Amino acid sequence: LVIDAANAAPAFLLKTLHIQNLHLLAQRDKTRPTDTISYRPLLARQISNIPFPFQVDSLALQNARIDYHEIVQKTGKESVLFFDQVNGFLLQPKSIGIQENDSLAIRLNARLYGQGLLKLRFRQSYTDSLQGFWMSSSMGPFQMKEMNALLLPMMGLNIRSGRIDTMTMLVQGNDRYAFGTMDLRYRQMKVQLLQNG
């Protein structure tokens, strides 16, 4: 704990913060009126704008779980996406002491719907005016029917069978646009498109 003389507010400076068994639940109801916030900055800018002075060299996650639930506007049904066994690091999350070449970096391994081993790597500059970022991800074997929890309520798409062998994705972008490549190797996929809801 350090007292910031300029702001007369305590600043928290941490070397490593370990968080175990975190369960993060994010929810969104798209049937409600549109959010009054029309613009949200990208991740590094959001972290640096936190109105609390802190600086962490590394934040280590162990056995975390992330759930996202969304009520779909068109159907009124709930779609679900989750990642479990989330392990890895957020490097240099901070709202003070930002230098010219500082970046937020994320290195995480997780399982999508408790199955496919997903590896995510992300980096974004704190000082780039366009908020440029780089992201790569890869995933191993995955039974595609698990995606129905997301796709059925959202798009009326029912995956009856199929298996992803590998998926790789590489993306570069900023606050205005993003571009990249995705390679998805799959087999024996059978899909049913439901009509009238």
Side-chain angles (χ1 to χ4, degrees), residues 142-146 148 158-164 186-192:
F142 179 75
Q143 296 297 326
M144 298 178 76
K145 287 179 69 174
E146 298 295 331
N148 285 333
N158 179 33
I159 299 177
R160 300 177 67 181
S161 66
R163 172 187 167 94
I164 293 174
Y186 64 91
R187 52 190 161 133
Q188 299 175 340
M189 184 169 72
K190 295 181 181 178
V191 176
Q192 178 183 17

Side-chain angles (χ1 to χ4, degrees), residues 17-37:
L17 177 61
H18 293 273
I19 299 178
Q20 296 180 339
N21 303 318
L22 169 74
H23 186 182
L24 177 64
L25 174 60
Q27 298 175 312
R28 186 173 186 189
D29 186 348
K30 288 196 171 180
T31 62
R32 294 186 175 272
T34 305
D35 198 329
T36 56
I37 299 174

Side-chain angles (χ1 to χ4, degrees), residues 1-171:
L1 176 64
V2 176
I3 300 299
D4 183 349
N7 297 317
F12 284 86
L13 308 178
L14 300 172
K15 187 76 175 170
T16 304
L17 177 61
H18 293 273
I19 299 178
Q20 296 180 339
N21 303 318
L22 169 74
H23 186 182
L24 177 64
L25 174 60
Q27 298 175 312
R28 186 173 186 189
D29 186 348
K30 288 196 171 180
T31 62
R32 294 186 175 272
T34 305
D35 198 329
T36 56
I37 299 174
S38 60
Y39 171 76
R40 288 182 175 86
L42 299 180
L43 185 58
R45 183 72 54 84
Q46 285 189 33
I47 290 174
S48 67
N49 286 345
I50 292 173
F52 175 80
F54 74 95
Q55 182 175 330
V56 181
D57 288 350
S58 65
L59 189 156
L61 288 175
Q62 184 176 359
N63 196 35
R65 179 182 170 111
I66 301 170
D67 285 77
Y68 176 70
H69 295 232
E70 179 178 300
I71 305 297
V72 181
Q73 184 177 24
K74 187 175 181 180
T75 65
K77 296 180 179 178
E78 183 179 36
S79 63
V80 177
L81 175 67
F82 79 83
F83 304 88
D84 67 358
Q85 294 188 19
V86 181
N87 297 288
F89 296 90
L90 278 71
L91 304 174
Q92 294 195 44
K94 55 185 172 179
S95 64
I96 58 171
I98 295 171
Q99 304 295 319
E100 183 178 352
N101 295 318
D102 284 351
S103 296
L104 172 71
I106 300 175
R107 300 174 188 167
L108 293 177
N109 295 337
R111 293 191 316 171
L112 175 62
Y113 290 107
Q115 279 195 64
L117 177 59
L118 180 69
K119 296 182 180 181
L120 172 71
R121 305 295 180 259
F122 175 89
R123 182 174 294 275
Q124 183 183 2
S125 169
Y126 276 110
T127 57
D128 181 4
S129 61
L130 292 177
Q131 304 178 64
F133 68 90
W134 170 92
M135 181 177 69
S136 72
S137 63
S138 63
M139 187 175 71
F142 179 75
Q143 296 297 326
M144 298 178 76
K145 287 179 69 174
E146 298 295 331
M147 294 292 293
N148 285 333
L150 178 71
L151 299 177
L152 260 172
M154 191 172 288
M155 300 167 48
L157 190 66
N158 179 33
I159 299 177
R160 300 177 67 181
S161 66
R163 172 187 167 94
I164 293 174
D165 291 324
T166 61
M167 184 278 295
T168 57
M169 182 173 65
L170 182 62
V171 178

